[in-house]
Amino acid sequence: MGKFGNSWQLMKTSLGVLRKDKEIMIFPILSFVACVIILLSFIAGFWFLGVPSMETLSWIWFVAMFLIYFVLFFIVIFFNTAIIACANIRLNGGDPTVSDGLRIASQNIGRILLWALISATVGMILQAIREKGGWIGRIVAGVFGIAWTYVTFFIIPVLIYEKKGIGSSIRRSASLFKQTWGETIIGTIGFGVVFFALALLGLIPIGLGVYLGSTTSIVIGVILAFFYWAIIGVVASATNGIYVAAMYHYATKKQLPAEYDASLIPQTIHGF
């Protein structure tokens, strides 16, 4: 079986775990709703307070953007922590509930806040490089962003289960990535390709609406596509959390969870 075939099988297995605990999908939904509320709150704040003078606009804009980054990162990390916590319980033979995920995430609120602060800072720096560096800056920011994503792939489970400091957790995550780089890269790219292909199907109702030609049919097509993409996003986010938990289980315990078939794992890491 090829590497993409292995990734496809791993994705199906992760979906199988998700089917056992469908309540895990509530976390991406809550994350999305909370992020939308925060964005609308910031927009409403600028709307009612008015646009500041040009002398203070740059500083206010910088502070506002950083706050938005920080709050959004905090929300996403908090609910990703809940997803990974529930997945870890299931992969260790338990039967998780929504309250379990929220409880574990809440118990690690300090670590999540600190990691959100660092993530927001890195995000702002990368955005500045993209905006100020031209096409070279976009390339540099893109390469560094991808590297940062993979180096910190295991940061959440390390933070909540190993209780290390941020610096030690980043180094530990990088070490675990080195041990599982094959699975991590193949899995994330494989999942991305599959979910992107599934997302393209959302264009069908829009295309049908345009083909029929009426405004009503187009609106209905857009609404159907939106809800379809929302479902795909929720499933993709939950499945990714399960995959992270499974790879952390494998990297730390040197064995796959019972739900996974060892024959599906590429042989790239066995030399480490």
Side-chain angles (χ1 to χ4, degrees):
M1 181 179 294
K3 292 183 177 181
F4 182 79
N6 290 330
S7 298
W8 170 245
Q9 293 298 325
L10 280 169
M11 190 192 72
K12 290 197 299 183
T13 305
S14 297
L15 287 171
V17 174
L18 184 60
R19 281 195 294 269
K20 294 180 180 179
D21 297 285
K22 297 181 180 65
E23 62 270 24
I24 289 177
M25 290 187 289
I26 192 64
F27 298 123
I29 296 173
L30 292 174
S31 179
F32 174 77
V33 171
C35 287
V36 169
I37 292 174
I38 292 300
L39 286 174
L40 291 177
S41 298
F42 273 96
I43 293 172
F46 275 107
W47 178 268
F48 287 109
L49 294 176
V51 178
S53 63
M54 292 302 298
E55 290 77 10
T56 59
L57 179 59
S58 59
W59 281 104
I60 291 178
W61 181 252
F62 175 82
V63 172
M65 287 301 298
F66 183 81
L67 287 175
I68 292 174
Y69 266 67
F70 171 68
V71 175
L72 293 182
F73 270 113
F74 171 77
I75 291 171
V76 171
I77 294 169
F78 181 88
F79 287 110
N80 280 348
T81 300
I83 293 172
I84 292 173
C86 286
N88 189 66
I89 292 173
R90 168 59 65 183
L91 294 170
N92 283 285
D95 185 13
T97 63
V98 172
S99 61
D100 287 326
L102 294 175
R103 172 179 54 80
I104 293 173
S106 298
Q107 289 172 348
N108 292 274
I109 197 79
R111 294 181 178 86
I112 293 173
L113 281 168
L114 187 54
W115 180 236
L117 180 62
I118 292 175
S119 298
T121 302
V122 172
M124 288 288 291
I125 292 173
L126 292 179
Q127 184 61 30
I129 293 173
R130 292 189 193 96
E131 293 179 354
K132 305 296 184 181
W135 65 270
I136 295 178
R138 289 191 289 272
I139 293 175
V140 171
V143 171
F144 183 84
I146 292 173
W148 177 256
T149 297
Y150 282 124
V151 165
T152 60
F153 187 81
F154 293 102
I155 192 70
I156 292 178
V158 169
L159 282 173
I160 64 176
Y161 293 119
E162 300 186 21
K163 310 297 184 183
K164 296 178 180 292
I166 290 295
S168 297
S169 294
I170 293 174
R171 290 191 293 271
R172 173 64 167 161
S173 177
S175 175
L176 294 176
F177 169 70
K178 180 182 178 181
Q179 297 176 46
T180 60
W181 67 270
E183 291 83 354
T184 304
I185 295 176
I186 293 170
T188 53
I189 293 177
F191 289 177
V193 169
V194 170
F195 281 112
F196 177 76
L198 291 173
L200 289 178
L201 297 178
L203 297 175
I204 294 176
I206 297 177
L208 288 175
V210 173
Y211 176 77
L212 293 174
S214 68
T215 302
T216 301
S217 63
I218 294 175
V219 171
I220 293 175
V222 171
I223 292 174
L224 291 175
F226 172 79
F227 280 105
Y228 173 76
W229 285 329
I231 293 171
I232 291 296
V234 167
V235 174
S237 179
T239 304
N240 180 71
I242 295 171
Y243 192 78
V244 172
M247 290 299 99
Y248 177 76
H249 185 288
Y250 177 72
T252 55
K253 298 185 178 180
K254 305 306 178 185
Q255 63 181 15
L256 289 167
E259 286 82 0
Y260 284 74
D261 180 356
S263 66
L264 300 178
I265 294 292
Q267 301 300 308
T268 54
I269 70 169
H270 295 324
F272 283 89

